[in-house]
């Protein structure tokens, strides 16, 4: 999921498969929010997330993972916003066949933490 010269290069010192939710946030102008995202979902590597996706029956898989269009529809935002959140590491997703499959618990965790930050 990381590519050379992508927005994720700021954390390229981490080993492949390191959890996106635990990575250090950028400190420059590319930083999105003032407070760090606090994950509340179990921490899985990219490989474990793919294994989970492939191991689930289709009905459960559809309940736990969504493509960017469905995720955008669920939260009422644009598809590009969801893609951007994936690219900068705010939500977890796996790349299958050139399309992202978003881990919905990760999306929920991010939205809850963002809501808590705004309430403070």
């Amino acid at each position: 999921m990381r590519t050379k010269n992508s927005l994720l290069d700021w954390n390229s010192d981490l080993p492949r498969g390191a959890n996106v939710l635990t990575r250090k946030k950028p400190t420059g102008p590319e930083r999105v929010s003032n407070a760090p995202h606090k994950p509340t979902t179990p921490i899985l590597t990219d490989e474990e997330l793919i294994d989970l996706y492939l191991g689930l029956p289709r009905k459960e898989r559809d309940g736990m993972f969504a493509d960017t269009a469905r995720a955008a529809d669920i939260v009422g935002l644009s598809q590009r916003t969801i893609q951007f959140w994936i690219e900068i590491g705010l939500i977890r997703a796996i790349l299958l066949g050139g399309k992202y499959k978003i881990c919905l618990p990760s999306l929920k965790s991010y939205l809850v933490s963002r809501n808590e930050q705004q309430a403070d």
Side-chain angles (χ1 to χ4, degrees):
M1 282 194 267
R2 289 190 311 199
T3 59
K4 190 133 179 95
N5 298 324
S6 74
L7 292 173
L8 296 179
D9 283 345
W10 55 266
N11 57 18
S12 61
D13 58 322
L14 294 173
R16 179 134 176 89
N19 185 354
V20 173
L21 295 179
T22 61
R23 292 181 179 163
K24 182 178 173 237
K25 299 288 184 227
T27 55
E30 69 276 15
R31 185 173 176 134
V32 174
S33 67
N34 292 333
H37 171 58
K38 298 173 190 168
T40 58
T41 56
I43 307 301
L44 298 174
T45 64
D46 290 344
E47 186 175 332
E48 291 170 334
L49 198 58
I50 290 171
D51 289 341
L52 175 65
Y53 178 84
L54 296 174
L56 289 173
R58 185 178 184 105
K59 196 171 199 174
E60 289 180 42
R61 184 186 306 164
D62 291 343
M64 189 165 181
F65 291 88
D67 60 14
T68 53
R70 183 169 157 239
D73 187 50
I74 289 169
V75 298
L77 297 171
S78 74
Q79 192 171 349
R80 182 61 193 126
T81 298
I82 300 297
Q83 292 168 344
F84 180 68
W85 287 354
I86 294 167
E87 291 167 1
I88 63 173
L90 295 176
I91 59 176
R92 295 290 312 273
I94 55 176
L95 193 59
L96 294 173
K99 296 187 178 193
Y100 286 115
K101 297 295 182 181
I102 294 124
C103 179
L104 292 176
S106 168
L107 178 60
K108 180 181 177 183
S109 173
Y110 170 67
L111 293 173
V112 167
S113 70
R114 185 172 162 182
N115 191 39
E116 289 171 354
Q117 291 171 10
Q118 291 176 348
D120 290 338

